[in-house]
Amino acid sequence: MLSANPGPIGIFDSGYGGLTILHGIRQLLPQYDYLYLGDNARAPYGSRSFDVVYEFTRQAVVRLFEMGCHLIILGCNTASAKALRSIQQKDLPQIDPSRRVLGIIRPTAEIIGNLTTSRHVGVLATEGTIKSESYNLEIQKFYPDIVVSGVACPFWVPLVEYNEADSPGADYFVKKRIDQIMRLDPQIDALILGCTHYPLLMPKILKYLPTGVRVVPQGEYVADSLQSYLERHPEMEQRCSKNGSVYYLTTENPEKFKEQAQIFLHEPVEVSNITLGTVNT
């Protein structure tokens, strides 16, 4: 039986990248309680099938609901691309129609029209997000005139997670993908970072990006979108507890999570271990 009492806002990610989303949200909305769940033992999700990503994400959503969340943000582009719609349409009506799960692709799609003059937009993301064409589809809903080009950046996540984002070796991989997307469409003047790890590569990205191209990280736009959502849905806002707390859960080693979280948050965290399912499903 799910609790009807107010609870924390859940933030789910396959790994650590969602911490950049959590950080952006907490900067704008520090009064709420947050429960972050990283499925680090089964990360990365980027190359996994739609069915597997859906099942893993569904397991996490159910667990966060059981832990008192009424509202969950999928702070993961791959989960937002591959699992969000199925969860919203198939699972929520059965679990609890009053609960909500939101993604992080739509908020960026909604505002991108204000950030491009040429109407040519680039997306750098994981293989799974690019193949899903979720950004293309969402952007087209709001701005049919915008041309969207995407490139997968398979080595960028490991660079961040192995704390190599500032290393000279990272330059090669960052420059390669930026050159690739600008060759694909030289008219691009706004570049969406469609993976939550990528903002940690920002100094390198800016170093190799042509002058006049705007970088669009997601954190601040997701935070703005969440604030707007809560203002428009006071019944959900009242179901979000407000003690300014944040708790962290991981499906992997808590000590490893603490170490990695320092890279993303630059502050110590307390984290507990949680089990969702078998690692190799």
Side-chain angles (χ1 to χ4, degrees), residues 41 77 85 89-90 145 155 170 172 178 190 194 213 217 219 230 247 252:
N77 283 275
R85 184 163 297 183
Q89 294 178 353
K90 287 168 46 181
D145 63 313
F155 294 103
Y172 169 80
I178 287 176
V213 179
L230 292 172
Y247 294 96
E252 235 220 0

Side-chain angles (χ1 to χ4, degrees), residues 101-151:
V101 180
L102 306 176
I104 58 172
I105 292 175
R106 183 174 179 133
T108 315
E110 284 179 336
I111 55 85
I112 195 64
N114 303 327
L115 306 177
T116 172
T117 303
S118 70
R119 314 310 277 175
H120 288 251
V121 169
V123 179
L124 297 176
T126 64
E127 181 186 357
T129 299
I130 295 299
K131 281 186 174 178
S132 75
E133 296 194 339
S134 293
Y135 273 97
N136 308 52
L137 295 169
E138 286 294 327
I139 290 171
Q140 287 293 307
K141 287 180 192 174
F142 298 105
Y143 308 103
D145 63 313
I146 290 181
V147 177
V148 183
S149 303
V151 164

Side-chain angles (χ1 to χ4, degrees), residues 74-212:
L74 300 185
C76 172
N77 283 275
T78 304
S80 295
K82 293 184 174 183
L84 177 62
R85 184 163 297 183
S86 295
I87 288 171
Q88 288 175 332
Q89 294 178 353
K90 287 168 46 181
D91 297 301
L92 284 183
Q94 296 178 5
I95 298 170
D96 182 345
S98 71
R99 298 189 186 233
R100 292 288 178 268
V101 180
L102 306 176
I104 58 172
I105 292 175
R106 183 174 179 133
T108 315
E110 284 179 336
I111 55 85
I112 195 64
N114 303 327
L115 306 177
T116 172
T117 303
S118 70
R119 314 310 277 175
H120 288 251
V121 169
V123 179
L124 297 176
T126 64
E127 181 186 357
T129 299
I130 295 299
K131 281 186 174 178
S132 75
E133 296 194 339
S134 293
Y135 273 97
N136 308 52
L137 295 169
E138 286 294 327
I139 290 171
Q140 287 293 307
K141 287 180 192 174
F142 298 105
Y143 308 103
D145 63 313
I146 290 181
V147 177
V148 183
S149 303
V151 164
C153 306
F155 294 103
W156 286 22
V157 168
L159 283 172
V160 172
E161 295 204 349
Y162 286 102
N163 208 10
E164 295 290 330
D166 296 326
S167 71
D171 287 68
Y172 169 80
F173 294 103
V174 172
K175 183 178 187 300
K176 181 178 181 179
R177 297 308 174 191
I178 287 176
D179 289 350
Q180 183 181 350
I181 199 162
M182 295 311 299
R183 279 198 308 271
L184 200 59
D185 184 355
Q187 294 186 65
I188 287 170
D189 70 349
L191 188 62
I192 296 171
L193 302 185
C195 173
T196 51
H197 282 70
Y198 295 177
L200 278 78
L201 289 162
M202 189 69 81
K204 304 283 190 194
I205 293 168
L206 294 174
K207 181 177 177 182
Y208 295 109
L209 204 60
T211 304

Side-chain angles (χ1 to χ4, degrees), residues 262-278:
Q262 289 271 23
I263 299 171
F264 288 85
L265 299 176
H266 306 293
E267 66 181 24
V269 303
E270 286 302 316
V271 59
S272 302
N273 182 259
I274 192 171
T275 301
L276 291 178
T278 57

Side-chain angles (χ1 to χ4, degrees), residues 219-279:
E220 64 183 280
Y221 302 110
V222 172
D224 288 341
S225 181
L226 177 58
Q227 182 180 49
S228 172
Y229 179 86
L230 292 172
E231 288 171 355
R232 288 181 286 112
H233 297 87
E235 75 289 347
M236 179 56 74
E237 197 279 335
Q238 291 164 16
R239 298 171 78 186
C240 299
S241 55
K242 303 173 189 68
N243 300 296
S245 69
V246 56
Y247 294 96
Y248 299 89
L249 302 167
T250 177
T251 56
E252 235 220 0
N253 185 322
E255 291 305 314
K256 183 180 178 185
F257 186 96
K258 286 182 185 179
E259 202 174 289
Q260 290 288 324
Q262 289 271 23
I263 299 171
F264 288 85
L265 299 176
H266 306 293
E267 66 181 24
V269 303
E270 286 302 316
V271 59
S272 302
N273 182 259
I274 192 171
T275 301
L276 291 178
T278 57
V279 173

